[in-house]
Amino acid sequence: MSTPTEVTRCSWAGSDALYQHYHDREWGRPVTDDTRLFEKLCLEGFQSGLAWITILRKRENFRAAFHGFDLDKVAAMDETDIERLLKDAGIIRHRGKITSTINNAKRALEVQKEFGSLAAYFWSFEPEPVQGPIVSGSIPAETAASKAMSKDLRKRGFSFVGPTTSYAFMQAMGLVNDHVDACFCRAEAEVERQALKRPSRR
């Protein structure tokens, strides 16, 4: 499926082809796959203090470093792995964020056991759709829903999951549709959201 070159996008997509592809094909499209949800949660943590395009350009390196974000494999990583990754120039070499990813994998396994899936847990925080126009400058950095998610994640022992990070995760994974009204992706993402069968707790 090709994307027309002359289309209106959210302004943050810029002119970088990789960033535009991410905006057009991923961001805001609803996700219920646990591996993708976990990956995004971790990468949002790595992004803290950085631009998302920096993480996006390194995403394949992150996937290689963290076993494709397989929960069991990441949860089993130890200090030897941390020291190895601190020497890996292909990722963000930040001890706290690397350690956080391993910790969050362990916490995510606990959530899976309790809810049946990460998807059921995360989608339980889906807010009611915003009423009114969605335009550049009107989109918040955090919301009541992202604050609730962040608070619960931290209570469960997750780290690097503040309310701003949580909202960026919600936007990217389609729990909300924050494509601006003029963006060609907004209607497409909304169709996918309407058709989605929300995961339920098992």
Side-chain angles (χ1 to χ4, degrees):
M1 179 179 177
S2 61
T3 301
T5 53
E6 296 300 324
V7 295
T8 299
R9 295 181 171 90
C10 299
S11 60
W12 61 261
S15 59
D16 184 283
L18 180 64
Y19 216 12
Q20 288 185 348
H21 185 272
Y22 172 74
H23 166 275
D24 295 354
R25 299 287 169 245
E26 293 186 52
W27 194 83
R29 311 289 176 134
V31 175
T32 58
D33 177 81
D34 278 11
T35 300
R36 285 188 60 196
L37 290 165
F38 176 65
E39 174 188 281
K40 183 60 175 173
L41 188 72
C42 295
L43 294 183
E44 286 292 349
F46 272 103
Q47 183 201 348
S48 180
L50 302 169
W52 174 246
I53 188 62
T54 301
I55 304 300
L56 193 59
R57 288 172 178 152
K58 295 176 177 286
R59 183 162 62 170
E60 291 305 320
N61 297 332
F62 276 108
R63 287 171 173 169
F66 289 102
H67 308 288
F69 290 95
D70 178 282
L71 280 172
D72 291 301
K73 291 179 180 178
V74 177
M77 294 173 74
D78 57 20
E79 186 62 35
T80 300
D81 295 296
I82 294 172
E83 293 300 325
R84 172 176 55 82
L85 293 181
L86 285 171
K87 299 174 184 176
D88 186 345
I91 66 170
I92 304 300
R93 291 176 289 183
H94 185 290
R95 179 181 288 274
K97 294 177 181 180
I98 293 170
T99 302
S100 172
T101 299
I102 298 170
N103 166 73
N104 287 353
K106 295 174 182 177
R107 304 292 78 80
L109 287 173
E110 295 167 356
V111 169
Q112 275 189 334
K113 186 175 181 180
E114 180 179 347
F115 286 79
S117 68
L118 281 182
Y121 171 74
F122 283 124
W123 279 89
S124 72
F125 291 96
E126 179 187 12
E128 290 296 321
V130 173
Q131 301 301 313
I134 306 295
V135 297
S136 295
S138 72
I139 300 171
E142 58 185 54
T143 64
S146 76
K147 290 176 183 176
M149 176 188 286
S150 172
K151 181 178 180 180
D152 195 73
L153 284 167
R154 288 187 287 194
K155 184 177 72 175
R156 293 172 181 276
F158 286 80
S159 51
F160 282 95
V161 287
T164 299
T165 295
S166 294
Y167 193 60
F169 169 86
M170 295 173 81
Q171 290 175 303
M173 297 289 95
L175 276 75
V176 295
N177 183 0
D178 273 351
H179 284 286
V180 296
D181 290 348
C183 177
F184 85 98
C185 290
R186 180 165 180 80
E188 294 182 2
E190 199 54 41
V191 167
E192 292 182 24
R193 280 176 42 79
Q194 292 296 326
L196 181 71
K197 179 180 179 182
R198 269 56 174 175
S200 58
R201 183 170 180 170
R202 296 195 295 272

